[in-house]
Amino acid sequence: MLVPHGFVKPVAWAVIAGEMTIAVALCLPRSRPAALRASAALCSVFLGYSFWRGVQAIAAPCHCFGALFTMAPWHGLVLNAALLGVIAWLMVAEPPWPDGLHLAEGTS
């Protein structure tokens, strides 16, 4: 068990709150570089969790996207590796933002 039973709901809500905070920060040009780094860190944690589930041969499906959608460990590995690839591309692509802010600069 990754999280003690009594902490499952608080941890789940904390993860959701963190994901929502990152999502909002990604929409704000000034916080986008930090939000991308936070996205990469969180996605790396999810990737590690999927790897751990695979190594430990945990048969219980992951309900990472809610009770209606479950994933086997290898699905989580593929999904999170792909998401990390997209995040890495966004971190180095340096597209110009509407206010003239560039991703790598972090300032206008």
Side-chain angles (χ1 to χ4, degrees), residues 38-106:
S39 296
L42 188 59
C43 200
S44 295
V45 169
F46 294 158
L47 183 69
Y49 172 67
S50 295
F51 180 76
W52 175 74
R53 285 182 59 226
V55 168
Q56 295 294 319
I58 296 173
C62 175
H63 293 281
C64 298
F65 293 98
L68 298 177
F69 182 79
T70 59
M71 289 190 303
W74 72 270
H75 291 137
L77 284 168
V78 171
L79 174 67
N80 288 298
L83 289 174
L84 274 173
V86 171
I87 293 167
W89 175 78
L90 288 171
M91 292 173 88
V92 299
E94 299 188 76
W97 304 105
D99 66 351
L101 179 69
H102 292 275
L103 194 57
E105 293 174 8

Side-chain angles (χ1 to χ4, degrees), residues 22-38:
I22 291 170
V24 170
L26 285 168
C27 296
L28 305 170
R30 293 200 181 277
S31 63
R32 193 170 291 129
L36 282 169
R37 289 190 297 274

